[in-house]
Amino acid sequence: MAAPTPTDRKFLGRLSLPERTFVADALRAETVGGVLLLVAAIAALIWANTPLGDSYESVRDFHIGPAGLGLDLSIQHWAADGLLAVFFFVAGIELKRELVAGELRDPKAAALPVIAAVCGMVMPALVYVLVTATGGGSFDGWAVPTATDIAFALAVLAVIGTSLPSALRAFLLTLAVVDDLFAILIIAVFFTDHLNFAALGGAVIGLGVFWLLLRKGVHGWYVYVPLALVIWGLMYNSGVHATIAGVAMGLMLRCTTRKGEEHSPGEHIEHLVRPLSAGLAVPLFALFSAGVSVSGNSLTDVFTKPETLGVVLGLVVGKVVGVFGGTWLAARFTRAELNDDLAWPDVFAVASLAGIGFTVSLLIAELAFSGDAVLTDEVKAAVLMGSLIAAVLAGILLKLRDRKYRALTEEEERDEDQDGIPDIYEQDKPEYHLRMAAIYEEKAAEHRRKAEVAGASRKGGGSPA
């Protein structure tokens, strides 16, 4: 058979069964975490905007930790620098898996989501810079609207009751993984003001020991957890954002299976750590970061100040235009045809989901405007407002296609023969039917042979020699 030409490739085509299973499992956990994230954000807003608001600030700004180790941090900083390291550790594992066993392994398959993610980060930054340049604002927050929050996006899907086909969900997941990669690079490169080379060298040595232990096959959480804490502490004191330590350790894990393994070590550890990340780390970060003062004036200011307006338009307009435009251009120039079951409005709807930039956007807002507490809270309010508008827009667009999505999802999940394999993965594969027929014929032949042996035995009064 001749090799497929570029025109034979289908964008958003059906996933392989193992990939579909992995995506379903990963997104199921992210959806639960997204709902908890949504609850935590609402709780933070209520706590900060009631008579209990003073207690919110007291708890958020309470310092704890060993000062001698440079870790006398506020609760808010522990959440942003400590707990989010767990989130980025999982992101590092996801990225490693995508690079060695997922969509990013094949350059041709990776081209579309990578280009979409890059355009989906460049356009919001350009929109922000254009708005702030026109209004005379600060360029410091250009990176705030560049991030996508996959957990929050999936929470929106759960709330509106829409089930996306697996291909669209996989595209959204891959988009978010690449988005996380570039967000990590932005944090590492643009938000490192000073370097403590001694601490940085210690962190690098610690990472080297971590890698060596993994290569030697050393097991035991009691070895890796203390080492990870030491690496994190050194990375924090080095001046590089401490979450980079989590990413680095995640990338070191092996995400390919060997003979006799059902799951790779990376997938196994991700399965163990993801509930901690999605169920505890990220919601607690949201609880101590999303509690901004909301009033009629503050909501009006979001649309009048250049920095806040730039964030809102970056998320709502820049993300959608960037992701959709990048995908369309990449598909056009690579001659990749869209899956027959889907249409470009479906890609536009998913692109609007990418405008929900909550967790990492809040983190970057704290880093970008760390010297101005008032502007930091205003930009955080803009992140919340932009994410809310993007969520409403995405919800409307997805609901318009909900009947089509449900039909596609039901078709993907139908298993009438109850063999654990969806029928859609069997009905269009002639080799499957041939294999089943061969197995049936082999069993029938064995049955006939036994019957003949039994008959000969009865006639001859004994077993044949």
Side-chain angles (χ1 to χ4, degrees):
M1 181 181 292
T5 62
T7 54
D8 293 326
R9 298 202 313 274
K10 291 288 185 180
F11 169 49
L12 295 178
R14 187 189 311 158
L15 303 177
S16 67
L17 187 56
E19 186 68 14
R20 180 181 180 275
T21 303
F22 173 82
V23 169
D25 291 342
L27 295 186
R28 191 177 298 113
E30 289 284 3
T31 301
V32 174
V35 173
L36 293 175
L37 175 63
L38 185 60
V39 171
I42 294 172
L45 289 171
I46 293 174
W47 189 2
N49 289 278
T50 61
L52 297 174
D54 291 340
S55 67
Y56 176 81
E57 292 183 4
S58 298
V59 174
R60 183 188 63 186
D61 298 334
F62 182 77
H63 277 245
I64 189 173
L69 298 177
L71 297 175
D72 182 19
L73 310 177
S74 67
I75 297 296
Q76 183 179 16
H77 274 101
W78 276 113
D81 294 318
L83 291 177
L84 277 195
V86 179
F87 167 79
F88 279 107
F89 174 70
V90 174
I93 299 175
E94 290 177 338
L95 177 60
K96 179 67 172 289
R97 186 199 168 277
E98 287 289 329
L99 288 170
V100 300
E103 288 293 311
L104 300 182
R105 177 181 57 178
D106 178 10
K108 291 181 179 179
L112 279 164
V114 169
I115 292 173
V118 172
C119 292
M121 299 189 81
V122 172
M123 281 302 299
L126 290 177
V127 169
Y128 178 92
V129 169
L130 180 62
V131 171
T132 51
T134 304
S138 169
F139 290 166
D140 292 344
W142 64 270
V144 173
T146 60
T148 294
D149 196 314
I150 181 68
F152 214 131
L154 292 170
V156 171
L157 293 177
V159 169
I160 65 176
T162 295
S163 179
L164 286 181
S166 60
L168 284 175
R169 287 175 171 257
F171 176 68
L172 183 62
L173 179 61
T174 306
L175 189 74
V177 170
V178 179
D179 194 285
D180 285 342
L181 169 63
F182 285 103
I184 291 161
L185 293 175
I186 288 173
I187 292 171
V189 174
F190 295 98
F191 295 102
T192 300
D193 295 329
H194 64 280
L195 285 176
N196 180 331
F197 288 100
L200 182 60
V204 171
I205 292 172
L207 288 170
V209 173
F210 189 89
W211 179 84
L212 186 62
L213 292 174
L214 289 173
R215 297 286 80 76
K216 294 293 184 181
V218 176
H219 298 285
W221 63 268
Y222 46 84
V223 174
Y224 290 102
V225 171
L227 178 58
L229 291 175
V230 170
I231 294 171
W232 177 87
L234 289 168
M235 189 69 76
Y236 178 84
N237 282 286
S238 73
V240 178
H241 200 270
T243 54
I244 303 301
V247 177
M249 286 184 279
L251 286 171
M252 289 182 182
L253 294 176
R254 177 168 59 83
C255 292
T256 53
T257 56
R258 293 175 179 171
K259 187 176 180 180
E261 291 181 339
E262 185 178 354
H263 301 289
S264 68
E267 289 175 308
H268 176 67
I269 293 173
E270 180 187 8
H271 179 74
L272 295 175
V273 177
R274 185 184 289 277
L276 176 63
S277 170
L280 182 67
V282 176
L284 281 178
F285 167 76
L287 181 64
F288 293 111
S289 292
V292 296
S293 177
V294 176
S295 63
N297 291 334
S298 63
L299 292 178
T300 302
D301 290 343
V302 165
F303 298 98
T304 56
K305 289 191 174 182
E307 294 88 354
T308 53
L309 181 60
V311 169
V312 172
L313 292 179
L315 289 171
V316 177
V317 179
K319 269 289 183 183
V320 178
V321 173
V323 172
F324 179 79
T327 304
W328 185 84
L329 288 173
R332 184 174 180 84
F333 284 106
T334 60
R335 294 187 291 171
E337 296 180 4
L338 188 63
N339 180 7
D340 295 334
D341 293 328
L342 299 171
W344 283 107
D346 299 315
V347 181
F348 190 85
V350 172
S352 64
L353 271 177
I356 302 173
F358 190 80
T359 305
V360 180
S361 290
L362 290 177
L363 175 61
I364 294 178
E366 293 179 0
L367 297 174
F369 300 104
S370 58
D372 190 334
V374 174
L375 186 54
T376 298
D377 282 350
E378 291 173 342
V379 171
K380 285 184 177 181
V383 170
L384 297 175
M385 180 60 69
S387 297
L388 176 62
I389 295 172
V392 172
L393 173 63
I396 293 172
L397 293 174
L398 291 169
K399 269 298 181 183
L400 293 175
R401 295 278 288 172
D402 189 51
R403 182 177 297 178
K404 177 68 172 178
Y405 294 155
R406 289 187 182 278
L408 290 173
T409 302
E410 289 174 3
E411 183 68 17
E412 287 181 357
E413 295 176 351
R414 184 179 295 113
D415 184 17
E416 294 182 353
D417 55 5
Q418 298 295 310
D419 63 351
I421 301 175
D423 297 338
I424 198 170
Y425 287 92
E426 300 170 348
Q427 64 186 14
D428 57 351
K429 292 187 176 181
E431 66 272 14
Y432 172 82
H433 298 287
L434 290 173
R435 188 169 68 253
M436 292 298 102
I439 293 173
Y440 176 80
E441 180 59 33
E442 184 178 343
K443 289 183 177 180
E446 178 68 15
H447 178 75
R448 289 194 300 269
R449 188 185 68 81
K450 288 181 178 179
E452 290 172 359
V453 170
S457 177
R458 284 196 299 270
K459 288 179 180 179
S463 299

